Amino acid sequence: MLVIKDLHVSVGGKEILKGLNLTINAGEVHAIMGPNGAGKSTLSNVIAGHDGYEVTSGSLTYKGEDLLAMKPEERAWAGVFLAFQYPVEIPGVNNTYLLKAGVNAKRKHQGLTELDAFDFMSVVKEKAKLVELDASFLSRSVNEGFSGGEKKRNEIFQMAVLEPDLALLDETDSGLDIDALRIVAGGINKLRSPDRAIVMITHYQRLLDYIEPDFVHVLAEGKIQKTGDKSLALKLEEHGYDWVKENL
Amino acid sequence: MNPVEQARQDALSLFKELGLPNKCNEDWKYTDVSRLEGLLDIGGVGADVHSEGLGMVDLDAYRMVFANGVFDAAQSNLPDAVEIVSLAALEASVSGEESKALAKLFHVSGNEPLVNGLTALNAAIASDGAAVCLADNSVLDKPLYILHVSNQNNAIRHGLMLGENAQAQVIEHFISVGEENALSNCVTAVILKNGASLEHSRLQQEGKKQAHVARVEVKQFRDSSYTFHGIELGASLSRTDLVVSLSEPGASCELNGLFVLDGRQHVDHHTRIDHQAPHCVSRENYRTVLDGRSHGVFNGKVVVHKGAIKTDSSQSNGNLLLSNHAQIDTKPELEIYNDDVKCAHGATVGQLDDKQLFYLRSRGICEEAAQELLVFAFADEILAAMSNQVVRSYVEKAAFAKLPHASDLDGLMG
Ligand SMILES: Nc1ncnc2c1ncn2[C@@H]1O[C@H](COP(=O)(O)OP(=O)(O)O)[C@@H](O)[C@H]1O
Ligand SMILES: [Mg+2]
């Protein structure tokens, strides 16, 4: 689904990603771990199309197409979704309106008819249950006044509504208490499907207790330094990232 | 000479003395009104202008229509029981003591804040207006919608007097037909007795060549409450002076303003709130959305007088510049003459937020629509303070239609 080759990315003149390679196939769940500042959010933002990052060389191929040639909204229509590490508050923009506009823009591009308000509301209410998001959040402004945990739940709720093919979850577990983590992880598990790839960026093994990844990658110093199965996450938890560096 | 005629004569003398405001006056630093020189005469009043089907036709309200500054009874619909009449009719009918009382509505003093030649001229030549006088404890059961339709120079003067605990909602709407280079000179004087409450909207939507000058002066007594919504969408030059005096304890006011401008439109609001008594509250929230070569001016002055302890005042002004050529001059001013007050004010000037734009686009909303949506959301936060949903949605649609890519967001306003 996504093939990343020799990706080099700079921010403000500073090189953050230095030749990153990664292949993600439909149905797979990947976990990317790595120290703070390693470039994990940089990677997810580049995939989603943020123009504040300069791709100096390398390629991103998504479903056979050059992802870098696509605008962020075109990527969304093609099934890319990023659950943000720090979801932004947008006062005055209604949460449900945003999703309806997003879903219908995507449907339009797929040649499908747009959902009417009534059909849309029934979809939305069902999906909100998935992450136990209270219906009152639907009519509020996007993320405005939400707690950290509520913002993260809202991101997964949006994922459920938008039904992406490639979902990047950037530290969705950070800031969640143990109950919220269980609920959100439960929601993500229900969204696993053979047609969908999920990439979880996390610092903590505990998320992987709930959502079992097929692959675990360690991102450090601008590259994927190590790839393994879920036991790699356990080793990291035990020995820290220095262990990876020492064992390069 | 009867007292009303005398007051109007005095106002004319004051106008002759003051002349048009000019840039030497600090309050007129950013707004050049020299082009109004040839537009001061309202000429033959009452020239034909049609108002049928114009304005907020869906609004369930009492309706008062002024065509080129003259009350059009045929297009109006007023309640029987309360005192809402045409000022010109009232002027023609009063005598004696009543005439003295009415003369106060035409009295202009050069010492009052923000009074200028145009204010005096209005008192001298205003052809008509709404004279509203609500009895103590009366509640106007529907909003009063005042529609002004013009295609030539006009001067209008409204007096709104709410007795103790009276309540009303008044909407002034200004439109012009055709593309005339003309001036509307408008004054609204408001008096709110103890416990009275007024929600007052002004929607200025005049034509592209039109000039609009207005003064709203509000005198508030104990525990009264005043809410103002000033919406500026039209005209090429528009200036409003809004002067509120909180003269007795417990009075509160909320002033909301929104300008959505493009082309070479120039809109200036000078507001002044005088906290003259203890325990009064003022809230002020102005936003501007400026595109093209438009120019917005906001000057918000709050004066907290010596005895006005426990004053609670806040003011915010947000400005969104959509083009490199748009300009905003904003100046919040606080003058405080006692220590026991809570005052906050601030102004911001900016472009759209990149993080918000990216977030919306990442959810599948195209760039232009995302920009529109953020602009709309920014503006709509001001309109959210309007209690009348029909008025709000009318204003939303009118404001929205001025944004560059409005079509991409069909259904936004549900
Ligand atoms: N907008 C930006 N401007 C400047 N530096 C940035 C910006 N975004 C990220 N960086 C820098 O890039 C590096 C990688 O950041 P990030 O991708 O957020 O790391 P991670 O998500 O792995 O913690 C950090 O050193 C960070 O300071
Ligand atoms: Mg990060």
Side-chain angles (χ1 to χ4, degrees):
Chain A
M1 183 172 299
L2 179 68
V3 180
I4 303 176
K5 281 196 182 138
D6 193 32
L7 182 66
H8 290 255
V9 176
S10 297
V11 185
K14 180 175 146 203
E15 185 162 65
I16 308 294
L17 299 181
K18 306 167 183 172
L20 183 141
N21 294 293
L22 184 63
T23 298
I24 294 158
N25 297 307
E28 294 174 353
V29 173
H30 292 244
I32 299 179
M33 306 181 80
N36 283 327
K40 303 181 296 297
S41 294
T42 300
L43 176 63
S44 57
N45 275 308
V46 166
I47 296 171
H50 195 296
D51 65 5
Y53 299 84
E54 193 193 350
V55 177
T56 50
S57 67
S59 66
L60 289 154
T61 311
Y62 174 71
K63 295 182 182 171
E65 303 218 17
D66 177 12
L67 200 58
L68 294 175
M70 295 159 73
K71 294 176 185 173
E73 55 270 33
E74 292 170 336
R75 300 182 199 203
W77 301 334
V80 175
F81 177 86
L82 169 59
F84 287 84
Q85 182 175 1
Y86 303 111
V88 64
E89 300 195 5
I90 315 185
V93 175
N94 177 282
N95 219 4
T96 305
Y97 173 78
L98 163 66
L99 284 173
K100 183 160 173 266
V103 165
N104 279 335
K106 184 172 172 181
R107 288 180 69 89
K108 208 167 148 188
H109 274 265
Q110 292 169 332
L112 300 171
T113 55
E114 297 184 14
L115 293 180
D116 67 28
F118 185 79
D119 291 343
F120 184 74
M121 275 321 288
S122 58
V123 171
V124 156
K125 286 198 174 129
E126 178 204 328
K127 306 284 183 176
K129 284 189 199 135
L130 203 68
V131 284
E132 298 180 21
L133 188 73
D134 191 89
S136 66
F137 285 89
L138 301 177
S139 55
R140 284 171 56 178
S141 290
V142 178
N143 293 321
E144 191 186 26
F146 290 23
S147 71
E150 287 159 355
K151 286 179 183 167
K152 297 304 180 76
R153 268 192 219 202
N154 194 34
E155 294 292 287
I156 300 306
F157 160 66
Q158 294 190 5
M159 170 182 166
V161 174
L162 292 167
E163 301 184 322
D165 299 325
L166 173 64
L168 309 157
L169 313 182
D170 192 354
E171 296 203 25
T172 297
D173 53 338
S174 300
L176 292 182
D177 62 35
I178 203 76
D179 290 331
L181 178 66
R182 201 179 56 239
I183 292 162
V184 168
I188 296 169
N189 270 327
K190 285 189 200 126
L191 294 171
R192 283 180 84 151
S193 107
D195 304 324
R196 179 172 290 147
I198 298 177
V199 180
M200 299 182 296
I201 291 166
T202 181
H203 281 296
Y204 306 105
Q205 155 64 25
R206 62 174 196 172
L207 177 67
L208 308 183
D209 288 340
Y210 293 101
I211 309 168
E212 197 173 305
D214 301 302
F215 302 95
V216 174
H217 311 275
V218 180
L219 172 56
E221 287 164 14
K223 287 183 186 174
I224 301 291
Q225 302 289 359
K226 219 172 174 54
T227 294
D229 60 15
K230 61 176 179 165
S231 66
L232 178 57
L234 288 167
K235 281 211 183 94
L236 280 172
E237 184 102 330
E238 203 175 321
H239 304 291
Y241 294 115
D242 288 343
W243 166 80
V244 179
K245 285 185 198 160
E246 284 155 20
N247 288 275
L248 285 183
Chain B
M1 200 182 286
N2 80 42
V4 174
E5 278 169 31
Q6 185 61 55
R8 283 174 166 259
Q9 279 287 320
D10 294 345
L12 190 62
S13 310
L14 183 60
F15 165 68
K16 285 179 177 154
E17 182 190 319
L18 296 173
L20 277 182
N22 63 49
K23 295 202 167 196
C24 303
N25 181 337
E26 184 67 21
D27 290 329
W28 292 82
K29 194 167 148 189
Y30 300 109
T31 298
D32 180 2
V33 287
S34 54
R35 66 164 264 219
L36 303 185
E37 196 71 60
L39 304 177
L40 301 176
D41 186 0
I42 57 173
V45 153
D48 276 348
V49 57
H50 290 283
S51 61
E52 292 96 323
L54 298 179
M56 300 181 195
V57 288
D58 300 333
L59 183 66
D60 181 21
Y62 297 117
R63 214 173 143 93
M64 236 182 156
V65 175
F66 291 90
N68 281 328
V70 175
F71 179 57
D72 182 348
Q75 296 298 321
S76 300
N77 137 47
L78 289 174
D80 309 320
V82 287
E83 294 268 22
I84 302 178
V85 295
S86 137
L87 183 62
L90 188 64
E91 209 181 326
S93 69
V94 293
S95 60
E97 286 305 307
E98 284 181 334
S99 187
K100 264 190 211 160
L102 186 61
K104 285 189 191 151
L105 183 58
F106 293 93
H107 181 74
V108 183
S109 156
N111 301 323
E112 293 289 315
L114 294 166
V115 160
N116 60 73
L118 290 159
T119 324
L121 181 66
N122 177 286
I125 67 170
S127 52
D128 208 339
V132 176
C133 184
L134 294 188
D136 291 351
N137 303 309
S138 66
V139 176
L140 194 57
D141 62 338
K142 286 190 216 180
L144 172 63
Y145 172 65
I146 307 176
L147 177 65
H148 310 74
V149 184
S150 67
N151 62 1
Q152 63 170 43
N153 297 336
N154 64 92
I156 198 105
R157 195 168 184 89
H158 302 307
L160 312 176
M161 216 282 289
L162 273 64
E164 292 189 6
N165 304 312
Q167 292 176 27
Q169 202 185 107
V170 174
I171 299 117
E172 294 184 55
H173 189 186
F174 300 85
I175 55 181
S176 55
V177 291
E179 292 276 313
E180 299 300 324
N181 175 25
L183 169 65
S184 296
N185 183 348
C186 316
V187 170
T188 304
V190 177
I191 294 174
L192 301 178
K193 294 283 181 65
N194 293 4
S197 150
L198 175 68
E199 181 172 351
H200 179 201
S201 306
R202 280 186 107 256
L203 169 58
Q204 189 278 107
Q205 222 185 346
E206 294 186 323
K208 280 191 190 120
K209 292 185 182 161
Q210 188 78 24
H212 184 100
V213 295
R215 175 180 176 88
V216 176
E217 50 185 47
V218 184
K219 173 112 175 159
Q220 291 188 244
F221 294 93
R222 184 178 282 268
D223 298 331
S224 63
S225 105
Y226 177 71
T227 303
F228 174 80
H229 310 285
I231 317 297
E232 296 279 355
L233 304 179
S236 58
L237 170 64
S238 176
R239 159 78 180 225
T240 294
D241 294 314
L242 173 55
V243 181
V244 178
S245 89
L246 301 166
S247 70
E248 290 188 353
S252 65
C253 70
E254 177 186 328
L255 313 181
N256 304 302
L258 175 66
F259 308 172
V260 180
L261 311 180
D262 55 20
R264 292 182 173 273
Q265 286 186 291
H266 179 106
V267 174
D268 175 348
H269 275 215
H270 270 59
T271 70
R272 169 161 171 149
I273 301 169
D274 278 279
H275 278 265
Q276 290 157 333
H279 298 281
C280 290
V281 178
S282 64
R283 295 280 174 267
E284 187 164 23
N285 195 2
Y286 262 74
R287 288 192 176 179
T288 73
V289 176
L290 308 177
D291 201 358
R293 294 179 174 275
S294 64
H295 186 179
V297 181
F298 171 70
N299 183 293
K301 187 167 185 171
V302 176
V303 182
V304 181
H305 293 253
K306 198 148 185 282
I309 55 160
K310 308 286 180 199
T311 284
D312 178 357
S313 170
S314 72
Q315 183 186 73
S316 88
N317 168 232
N319 305 285
L320 200 50
L321 301 181
L322 300 183
S323 123
N324 291 332
H325 302 292
Q327 189 185 336
I328 177 74
D329 288 288
T330 170
K331 188 174 173 196
E333 280 185 86
L334 260 177
E335 274 178 32
I336 304 178
Y337 299 102
N338 80 68
D339 298 333
D340 191 6
V341 300
K342 199 168 86 188
C343 289
H345 65 178
T348 60
V349 179
Q351 280 94 34
L352 293 175
D353 182 299
D354 284 338
K355 286 200 186 93
Q356 294 178 338
L357 268 178
F358 180 59
Y359 190 93
L360 295 174
R361 295 178 73 188
S362 78
R363 298 307 183 239
I365 297 181
C366 76
E367 186 175 11
E368 292 77 17
Q371 288 168 347
E372 284 309 89
L373 185 52
L374 291 179
V375 173
F376 181 79
F378 174 81
D380 200 41
E381 282 197 287
I382 295 294
L383 306 182
M386 295 183 134
S387 73
N388 189 310
Q389 293 310 307
V390 177
V391 177
R392 176 180 173 185
S393 110
Y394 184 96
V395 175
E396 279 178 335
K397 288 196 175 89
F400 194 57
K402 289 201 75 181
L403 303 179
H405 311 282
S407 60
D408 293 332
L409 282 175
D410 275 356
L412 174 65
M413 289 154 296

